[in-house]
Amino acid sequence: MIIEIDNHSGVPIYAQVIEQIKQYVLSGNLSEGTQLENVRSLAARLMVNPMTISKAYNQLERDGIIERRRGIGMFVKPMSKGIKKDFKSQTAKESFKKAAATAVLMKYTEEEAVDLLREMYRKLKNEEGEDKDE
Amino acid sequence: MIIEIDNHSGVPIYAQVIEQIKQYVLSGNLSEGTQLENVRSLAARLMVNPMTISKAYNQLERDGIIERRRGIGMFVKPMSKGIKKDFKSQTAKESFKKAAATAVLMKYTEEEAVDLLREMYRKLKNEEGEDKDE
Amino acid sequence: MIIEIDNHSGVPIYAQVIEQIKQYVLSGNLSEGTQLENVRSLAARLMVNPMTISKAYNQLERDGIIERRRGIGMFVKPMSKGIKKDFKSQTAKESFKKAAATAVLMKYTEEEAVDLLREMYRKLKNEEGEDKDE
Amino acid sequence: MIIEIDNHSGVPIYAQVIEQIKQYVLSGNLSEGTQLENVRSLAARLMVNPMTISKAYNQLERDGIIERRRGIGMFVKPMSKGIKKDFKSQTAKESFKKAAATAVLMKYTEEEAVDLLREMYRKLKNEEGEDKDE
DNA sequence: GTGGTCTAGACCACG
DNA sequence: GTGGTCTAGACCACC
């Protein structure tokens, strides 16, 4: 699982971790019952204070995304497909609303906005393809 | 110029001011050479400490958006159209990249993503239209 | 007489005016008895508040550089050659001391510093030559 | 690290701090990755309000000289040698340009200017040598 | 009139 | 422990 930390974004590190794990789980890229990397290992990998990871895991547990099995570790929690779907569409909507708002503000036409989206979408799709080849 | 402060968003007040003024300038709704509201007046209007506004203006000056004319006030800085365009397209690109990333992660197809964008775009356009009618 | 105002230097405008006129006079580029441009005209040319120019002239009068002839205008005051020479060498010394300090701090060798000075000197000399052609 | 504040120079305290830290970094006397003294400690040492130091650090971060590691402190930012060199040569150039301009205005010949520079350079070098002996 | 600087002290988020 | 934010109020320089 790839997690990227941006130290300059102003967003707290623990929040970045939460956000990215949430997306992995709810997009289906991290399936139910999978064990999460342990705190110390992930902390070492991200070169971050273990407390920070621990805080993120705790928050994810409170959010009902993952569950703690005593003495074993953290696991992705089973969720109804309905909830997942809701989350997906809600997340997507928020993200697209922001993009649309920017476009309207910058006085882009609808077609210009669509073109820009297609461009970015394809670029990311290609990168994804390359990642799989590795 | 309408500036709205959300005291509960967690975003610092000065950052909100910066963000909103930047948008006014880059969207062309605040034209070159226009004098900005003075520090104390804006501070009073937003019910905020003058230093907070001063900090925002200061940072906008360092970002090259506005300029200080000593003893007179702050003014929107003339920018070459090229630079302005770069600013705009970069802002838009960032915003769209995030949306595209979400779409890819959520396994939306390109067409699904485009449809969602069109939907959000039209919704915002309509709201904008209503605002003008007011 | 060419006077350049840098709005971003942090140095007060009136101080910039004083400094530059002083240099013109004491370097001999503005000779004794010459009438200075009047306040309003200079202010308009520099796109600056007349009060600012007036303040500069007053200061120059107090410094004994220029004199006010009632109802006529401001004139460059006669000065002994000794004073001029002292001023010249002192100004030069200060300026060179700063440059030398920078060089030492940046760990330039004496020869590197000299080379850099020669380069800048020649560049300015050439520009001066071009100005005369105009 | 020794930082000296002159309360009577008219130069803002925070600007003096910025200037001196910049010099330490660019001259190589403060190496990459070094942790800076924390805000409160430096403030106490200089007998100055912590916000004043904070402002200086903040600006140094925006200038790309230092970086914040959250919850830990401020550190000298790694810079490519190329960038550092550019910084240095630009600083030096500005300083020498001023000196050269003075020389040209004062009608010094190139050789007179060089002699004056050598004199000042050697004087400062000697003082530096004495400092090291202390 | 304008903005800039500094202080003293409180509170907060992050690690 | 770290730095960041905000306040209230004072004083200053500049135009």
Side-chain angles (χ1 to χ4, degrees):
Chain A
M1 191 169 56
I2 301 162
I3 292 183
E4 286 175 357
I5 300 300
D6 178 359
N7 273 303
H8 300 290
S9 69
V11 182
I13 296 174
Y14 79 88
Q16 294 184 43
V17 173
I18 290 173
E19 182 59 26
Q20 292 184 48
I21 293 183
K22 229 180 202 171
Q23 287 200 340
Y24 270 109
V25 174
L26 292 165
S27 67
N29 287 316
L30 201 56
S31 53
E32 299 173 1
T34 310
Q35 181 168 7
L36 290 171
E37 195 171 346
N38 72 56
V39 171
R40 272 197 258 167
S41 154
L42 181 56
R45 206 152 60 76
L46 302 185
M47 293 187 301
V48 145
N49 191 318
M51 286 279 297
T52 309
I53 303 300
S54 178
K55 192 171 178 179
Y57 279 6
N58 284 335
Q59 177 75 42
L60 283 166
E61 196 187 9
R62 254 178 285 137
D63 287 353
I65 308 290
I66 63 178
E67 62 183 354
R68 168 168 285 128
R69 297 199 194 139
R70 301 264 216 108
I72 308 179
M74 311 291 299
F75 293 82
V76 176
K77 209 169 165 179
M79 291 175 70
S80 81
K81 282 192 180 169
I83 293 179
K84 262 193 198 172
K85 212 172 172 182
D86 284 355
F87 171 82
K88 276 174 69 172
S89 68
Q90 204 199 329
T91 308
K93 262 188 189 166
E94 276 171 21
S95 180
F96 275 77
K97 195 174 176 182
K98 276 184 198 165
T102 309
V104 170
L105 193 75
M106 298 301 182
K107 293 181 179 153
Y108 280 49
T109 65
E110 184 173 332
E111 293 316 313
E112 283 171 341
V114 167
D115 286 347
L116 187 51
L117 177 67
R118 286 189 195 279
E119 185 191 327
M120 299 319 263
Y121 184 92
R122 284 174 193 162
K123 209 164 144 188
L124 287 167
K125 264 294 191 210
N126 282 342
E127 284 174 13
E128 197 189 34
E130 286 167 16
D131 284 352
K132 277 183 185 158
D133 294 345
E134 281 175 10
Chain B
M1 191 172 54
I2 301 162
I3 291 183
E4 285 174 357
I5 299 301
D6 177 0
N7 276 305
H8 304 292
S9 70
V11 183
I13 297 173
Y14 77 87
Q16 296 183 42
V17 174
I18 290 172
E19 183 60 24
Q20 293 183 47
I21 293 184
K22 242 183 196 165
Q23 287 189 347
Y24 271 108
V25 175
L26 291 178
S27 68
N29 289 320
L30 201 57
S31 54
E32 300 175 1
T34 310
Q35 182 166 9
L36 292 170
E37 192 171 347
N38 76 51
V39 171
R40 297 192 241 267
S41 153
L42 182 55
R45 204 152 62 79
L46 302 183
M47 290 187 301
V48 143
N49 188 302
M51 266 209 62
T52 306
I53 303 300
S54 181
K55 192 173 177 179
Y57 278 7
N58 221 308
Q59 201 153 324
L60 281 166
E61 196 196 4
R62 304 191 92 232
D63 287 350
I65 307 290
I66 65 179
E67 68 180 349
R68 228 176 47 218
R69 298 204 195 130
R70 308 216 279 194
I72 307 178
M74 314 292 300
F75 294 78
V76 178
K77 201 169 173 178
M79 285 168 75
S80 80
K81 281 193 181 169
I83 292 177
K84 205 168 173 180
K85 218 174 172 179
D86 285 354
F87 252 112
K88 279 174 69 169
S89 72
Q90 207 195 332
T91 309
K93 261 189 187 165
E94 278 170 19
S95 181
F96 274 77
K97 196 175 176 182
K98 276 182 197 164
T102 309
V104 169
L105 192 71
M106 298 302 180
K107 292 178 182 150
Y108 279 50
T109 64
E110 185 173 331
E111 292 316 314
E112 283 171 340
V114 166
D115 285 348
L116 186 51
L117 177 67
R118 286 190 193 280
E119 183 191 331
M120 299 318 262
Y121 183 93
R122 285 174 193 164
K123 211 163 141 187
L124 287 166
K125 262 293 188 210
N126 282 342
E127 285 173 14
E128 198 190 33
E130 286 166 18
D131 283 353
K132 278 181 186 163
D133 292 345
E134 279 174 13
Chain C
M1 189 170 53
I2 301 163
I3 292 184
E4 286 175 357
I5 300 301
D6 178 0
N7 273 304
H8 301 290
S9 71
V11 182
I13 296 172
Y14 79 87
Q16 295 183 43
V17 174
I18 289 173
E19 183 59 27
Q20 292 183 47
I21 292 183
K22 228 181 203 170
Q23 286 199 341
Y24 270 108
V25 174
L26 292 165
S27 67
N29 287 316
L30 201 58
S31 54
E32 299 173 2
T34 310
Q35 180 167 8
L36 290 171
E37 194 171 346
N38 72 55
V39 171
R40 272 197 257 167
S41 153
L42 182 55
R45 207 153 60 77
L46 303 184
M47 290 187 302
V48 145
N49 190 318
M51 286 280 297
T52 308
I53 303 300
S54 178
K55 192 171 178 179
Y57 279 7
N58 284 336
Q59 177 74 42
L60 283 165
E61 195 187 9
R62 254 177 288 137
D63 287 354
I65 307 292
I66 63 180
E67 61 183 354
R68 168 169 285 127
R69 298 200 194 137
R70 301 264 215 110
I72 307 179
M74 312 291 301
F75 292 80
V76 177
K77 209 167 164 180
M79 292 176 69
S80 81
K81 282 194 181 170
I83 293 178
K84 264 195 196 172
K85 210 173 174 183
D86 284 355
F87 171 82
K88 276 175 69 169
S89 69
Q90 204 198 330
T91 308
K93 263 189 186 166
E94 276 170 23
S95 179
F96 275 77
K97 196 174 178 182
K98 277 184 196 163
T102 309
V104 170
L105 193 75
M106 298 299 183
K107 292 178 180 155
Y108 279 50
T109 65
E110 184 173 333
E111 293 315 314
E112 283 170 340
V114 166
D115 286 348
L116 186 52
L117 178 67
R118 287 190 193 278
E119 184 190 327
M120 299 320 264
Y121 183 92
R122 284 174 193 164
K123 210 162 141 189
L124 288 167
K125 263 294 190 208
N126 281 342
E127 284 173 15
E128 198 188 34
E130 286 167 17
D131 284 352
K132 277 181 188 163
D133 292 345
E134 281 176 12
Chain D
M1 191 171 56
I2 302 161
I3 291 183
E4 285 173 358
I5 299 301
D6 178 358
N7 278 306
H8 305 292
S9 70
V11 182
I13 298 173
Y14 76 87
Q16 295 184 43
V17 174
I18 290 173
E19 184 60 23
Q20 292 183 49
I21 292 183
K22 239 181 198 166
Q23 286 188 346
Y24 270 108
V25 174
L26 291 177
S27 67
N29 289 322
L30 201 55
S31 54
E32 299 176 2
T34 310
Q35 181 166 8
L36 292 171
E37 193 171 349
N38 74 54
V39 171
R40 296 191 241 269
S41 153
L42 181 55
R45 205 152 61 77
L46 302 184
M47 292 186 303
V48 144
N49 187 301
M51 266 208 60
T52 307
I53 303 300
S54 182
K55 191 172 177 179
Y57 278 7
N58 222 308
Q59 200 153 325
L60 282 166
E61 196 196 5
R62 304 191 92 231
D63 287 350
I65 307 291
I66 66 180
E67 68 181 348
R68 228 175 51 218
R69 298 202 193 132
R70 309 214 280 193
I72 307 176
M74 314 292 299
F75 294 79
V76 178
K77 199 167 174 181
M79 286 167 75
S80 80
K81 281 191 181 170
I83 292 177
K84 203 168 172 179
K85 219 174 170 177
D86 285 353
F87 252 112
K88 278 175 66 171
S89 71
Q90 206 196 331
T91 310
K93 259 188 190 167
E94 278 169 21
S95 180
F96 274 77
K97 196 174 175 182
K98 277 183 199 164
T102 310
V104 169
L105 191 71
M106 299 303 180
K107 293 179 182 152
Y108 279 51
T109 65
E110 184 172 332
E111 292 316 315
E112 283 170 341
V114 167
D115 286 347
L116 185 51
L117 177 68
R118 285 190 195 279
E119 183 191 329
M120 298 319 256
Y121 183 93
R122 283 175 194 162
K123 209 162 144 188
L124 287 167
K125 262 295 190 207
N126 282 343
E127 285 173 14
E128 195 189 37
E130 286 166 18
D131 284 351
K132 277 183 186 158
D133 293 345
E134 280 175 12

